[in-house]
Amino acid sequence: MKLILCVLACLSLQVAFSDDVGRAYEWSEIKLVGVRPNAYDSRNIVPTGVAYDAASKMLFFGIPRIYSRVPITFAQLSTRSYNSAEIPNPPLDKFSGKSKQPLTSVYQPVIDDCRRLWVLDVGIVEIESERKTYPIRKPSLIAFDLTKPNYPEIHRYELTGEAGKNPLGYGGFAVDVVNPKRCSDKNEKTYIYIANFDENSLIVYDKSKGQAWSLKDDSFKPEGVTTFTLNGKEHKFKAGIFGIALGDRNKEGNRPAYYLAGSSTKLYRLDTKLLKKKGSKLEPKLIGDRGFKTEAIALAYDPETKVLFFAEADSRQVSCWNIKHELKPENVGVIYANPNFNFGTDIMVDSKGFLWFMSNGQPPIDEKMEYDVPQIRLMKVKTKRAIRGEKCQG
């Protein structure tokens, strides 16, 4: 009897956490606009990253070619055209931007403070049999201008040497615009920090100098193995540095870079002043431990509330921590928990202060997962509302 009551209490708690979070969209399989149905397998269209441009009300999705028969690797969805209450599982359009070269495989898009849409094309598909269709290219950072019609490509940089090593190990990346008031300046400075969870490295790209380099540190390494259960079966993966988020700028334009390994519950911080200078000696700071079974591969910072949000891998929840507090389990809150939120894969805060987070039910393992219910879920909530009454409120 006690066990039954405990389970009921836990379920009610999950519902309570979900009250303020709205479902944006959910899919069991994704259809594509303008593509013949027999030309692709809709079950293999699995987005891993998402970005939302509040000005145009457009969502952008990275759909890597992890599986076969994936004709589009970068897609968009107009939230003006599809009301989630009426059409919760709309089809996705091919990205309408004008890329100078075909995109091979995109995992994550990021929109910076200048309204540039950045994608990291890894240049290689995971299915070897598909490499005849999509030949291997050098991984590339590409930027599109969201302020102009048809989103023209305005920047491209190929990653080579150590920076381009093992591109299938790229995780999340963050774009650091040093001074957003100088976006139109030809000499504006932007840096991009890319995690590589297989190489346990952090890649830094200096846009103004056209240089990229790779950094190593023990804090980038996994602590152990992440274990999670899906469809009643236990799975494991081991990943180093995976997620990275940038905090507030100081007067010099430097910021704290918060990061975590995919197989760790610890959070670290680096000063971007050190990252920006090639050859600097890194001085990472261990901020603290978020607690048992809180491994995550993605995190996002909200400058308005001073809160970091984490999309967790196995707990089926999104947690939060206020940077003004000591990081320990007692100070970590949960803003969302749902048994169907399987494998949180991306999280972001848009320019209007809304938190978006996504799960796709497809962890980084060789096995393709199958489900009876929709597993690709995109949720949203105002950050202030999300933390209301939680430990991370302030």
Side-chain angles (χ1 to χ4, degrees):
M1 185 65 179
K2 289 183 179 180
L3 178 60
I4 294 174
L5 290 174
C6 180
V7 171
L8 291 174
C10 290
L11 288 174
S12 66
L13 195 60
Q14 288 174 329
V15 173
F17 285 145
S18 305
D19 280 348
D20 289 332
V21 178
R23 181 195 65 191
Y25 302 99
E26 65 178 17
W27 298 267
S28 54
E29 55 182 336
I30 292 178
K31 304 294 185 181
L32 300 174
V33 176
V35 181
R36 290 181 293 105
N38 62 354
Y40 67 98
D41 188 339
S42 59
R43 296 168 300 176
N44 290 347
I45 308 299
V46 182
T48 54
V50 63
Y52 180 69
D53 180 42
S56 64
K57 300 188 183 301
M58 190 74 76
L59 283 162
F60 301 97
F61 296 89
I63 305 172
R65 291 186 166 108
I66 301 173
Y67 309 111
S68 60
R69 302 180 70 207
V70 178
I72 294 174
T73 188
F74 195 38
Q76 64 187 40
L77 171 65
S78 171
T79 61
R80 297 180 192 270
S81 301
Y82 294 99
N83 185 308
S84 60
E86 299 172 357
I87 306 176
N89 55 351
L92 300 185
D93 277 298
K94 181 180 180 180
F95 175 59
S96 60
K98 302 304 179 183
S99 178
K100 294 179 181 179
Q101 295 180 28
L103 298 173
T104 303
S105 190
V106 172
Y107 287 75
Q108 184 185 27
V110 173
I111 298 172
D112 71 13
D113 293 318
C114 297
R115 277 193 75 204
R116 294 175 298 201
L117 173 62
W118 292 86
V119 298
L120 177 54
D121 185 354
V122 300
I124 181 173
V125 299
E126 296 204 23
I127 303 295
E128 289 193 20
S129 60
E130 295 278 293
R131 292 176 188 171
K132 293 179 180 179
T133 305
Y134 307 102
I136 297 175
R137 301 170 179 262
K138 291 178 181 178
S140 299
L141 278 165
I142 309 155
F144 301 91
D145 190 346
L146 294 181
T147 69
K148 296 180 180 178
N150 300 318
Y151 309 148
E153 179 184 318
I154 55 173
H155 187 79
R156 180 181 289 260
Y157 178 81
E158 291 185 345
L159 295 159
T160 59
E162 286 296 310
K165 185 178 180 181
N166 193 4
L168 288 177
Y170 291 151
F173 70 96
V175 182
D176 184 7
V177 177
V178 175
N179 187 350
K181 294 181 180 180
R182 301 185 65 178
C183 286
S184 58
D185 190 333
K186 291 182 179 179
N187 297 317
E188 65 86 21
K189 293 185 180 296
T190 296
Y191 297 83
I192 299 181
Y193 314 115
I194 307 167
N196 191 312
F197 60 86
D198 269 348
E199 295 296 318
N200 304 322
S201 65
L202 184 65
I203 298 154
V204 180
Y205 169 56
D206 182 338
K207 177 177 174 290
S208 63
K209 293 183 179 179
Q211 296 180 352
W213 57 92
S214 179
L215 302 169
K216 296 262 190 176
D217 189 83
D218 285 344
S219 63
F220 300 163
K221 297 178 180 179
E223 279 196 293
V225 176
T226 299
T227 303
F228 56 95
T229 302
L230 290 174
N231 290 350
K233 184 178 178 181
E234 188 177 272
H235 303 270
K236 295 182 179 181
F237 73 86
K238 189 174 183 178
I241 182 171
F242 215 124
I244 183 166
L246 303 177
D248 298 314
R249 297 177 184 85
N250 60 20
K251 293 180 181 179
E252 290 73 40
N254 299 314
R255 313 164 75 174
Y258 300 96
Y259 62 94
L260 42 74
S263 298
S264 174
T265 57
K266 290 184 171 65
L267 180 70
Y268 289 87
R269 182 180 69 215
L270 272 168
D271 190 333
T272 59
K273 180 180 180 180
L274 299 176
L275 294 178
K276 294 171 186 175
K277 187 176 180 181
K278 187 176 182 179
S280 291
K281 181 180 179 182
L282 298 183
E283 298 175 358
K285 178 180 175 59
L286 173 61
I287 300 177
D289 194 315
R290 296 185 300 114
F292 179 68
K293 296 291 280 186
T294 59
E295 292 94 337
I297 66 168
L299 71 166
Y301 177 69
D302 177 39
E304 186 175 9
T305 60
K306 311 303 179 188
V307 169
L308 275 167
F309 296 92
F310 306 84
E312 297 184 359
D314 182 45
S315 64
R316 292 170 170 79
Q317 66 186 26
V318 174
S319 57
C320 63
W321 168 67
N322 194 303
I323 64 170
K324 295 180 289 186
H325 300 161
E326 179 185 357
L327 178 55
K328 54 184 180 180
E330 303 94 284
N331 290 336
V332 176
V334 175
I335 67 156
Y336 179 78
N338 190 297
N340 291 323
F341 189 75
N342 284 325
F343 197 70
T345 184
D346 203 8
I347 189 166
M348 64 156 291
V349 178
D350 70 23
S351 60
K352 299 296 184 182
F354 276 88
L355 179 73
W356 297 76
F357 53 92
M358 181 173 70
S359 68
N360 68 5
Q362 300 292 332
I365 56 176
D366 293 334
E367 181 180 350
K368 174 73 167 62
M369 304 302 295
E370 299 292 342
Y371 302 92
D372 296 327
V373 296
Q375 287 301 314
I376 301 169
R377 297 172 181 271
L378 181 62
M379 317 297 291
K380 71 172 183 176
V381 61
K382 191 74 173 176
T383 55
K384 281 187 175 180
R385 188 175 181 183
I387 66 173
R388 187 175 54 192
E390 287 299 326
K391 298 175 183 178
C392 55
Q393 185 170 7

